[in-house]
Amino acid sequence: MLGFVVAEGRGEADRCLREVAATLRAAGVKVAGAVQSNVETDPAYKCQMDLHILTGEEVIRISQDLGALSKGCRLDPEGLEHAVGLVAASLLQDPEVLILNKFGKQELDGRGFRPVVGEALLAGIPVLTAVNRGNVEQFMEFAGDMGEQLPADKQVLTDWVLAQRAALRA
């Protein structure tokens, strides 16, 4: 019920989850959640991070510009919480799967999308997300027996979601 990928390479998990979401939506699967795209700008600055809400057209910027020399976290907590609110509300539309860009530091600390993941699982909605390699152990403490690591392969992930969907319908 809680599939996750650990993708290698910058932006690889984001690209993979975006493709899976698009494939599932095209196949008529009711998908909720948020996928990330990074907007590359001036090479002196880090990319801008946007979340695309899968049940609408909203795009929420979740990064803030702290300057070229900044070493601090660029996450805009206000932007993330806005996206979380939109995704949480989308659970009322009875989605067949919840896809989230990542289960990161905010979620490990009990914030961000973590409550939404819990709500989805309690409602019997499978969840697909990405986890950074360094966070897998903490993620598995949260996920327990529900966590299943999957390869960052569009077809494998699509098939996993469809199998979860079929099992719930059986």
Side-chain angles (χ1 to χ4, degrees):
M1 288 285 297
L2 181 51
F4 70 99
V5 298
V6 180
E8 300 300 327
R10 182 177 174 177
E12 183 62 24
D14 296 326
R15 181 197 57 75
C16 187
L17 291 176
R18 280 193 315 270
E19 290 178 1
V20 170
T23 298
L24 291 168
R25 290 170 83 184
V29 178
K30 288 180 67 176
V31 180
V35 292
Q36 183 172 323
S37 64
N38 297 325
V39 180
E40 300 295 336
T41 58
D42 184 322
Y45 291 88
K46 295 183 178 179
C47 67
Q48 298 170 341
M49 301 178 296
D50 291 337
L51 285 183
H52 298 258
I53 307 303
L54 295 172
T55 51
E57 299 299 320
E58 294 94 352
V59 177
I60 311 296
R61 172 100 355 120
I62 61 166
S63 60
Q64 51 189 334
D65 183 3
L66 300 177
L69 301 177
S70 174
K71 301 289 186 206
C73 179
R74 299 177 309 120
L75 180 68
D76 175 7
E78 196 171 291
L80 177 61
E81 289 307 316
H82 180 67
V84 168
L86 292 171
V87 172
S90 73
L91 293 182
L92 298 175
Q93 298 172 17
D94 297 320
E96 295 173 287
V97 64
L98 176 67
I99 298 177
L100 296 172
N101 65 310
K102 76 176 177 179
F103 196 97
K105 184 175 180 343
Q106 292 291 310
E107 288 75 21
L108 292 172
D109 290 341
R111 295 186 299 272
F113 285 111
R114 185 176 180 146
V116 178
V117 170
E119 286 178 45
L121 293 172
L122 284 172
I125 301 167
V127 177
L128 180 60
T129 191
V131 179
N132 292 334
R133 185 164 304 288
N135 295 336
V136 170
E137 186 176 324
Q138 285 180 280
F139 172 77
M140 288 307 293
E141 289 174 16
F142 164 77
D145 292 343
M146 287 189 176
E148 180 180 353
Q149 186 169 349
L150 303 162
D153 177 274
K154 175 184 149 184
Q155 190 60 56
V156 171
L157 298 175
T158 300
D159 291 346
W160 180 85
V161 169
L162 295 175
Q164 296 296 315
R165 178 184 185 214
L168 291 172
R169 290 181 170 184

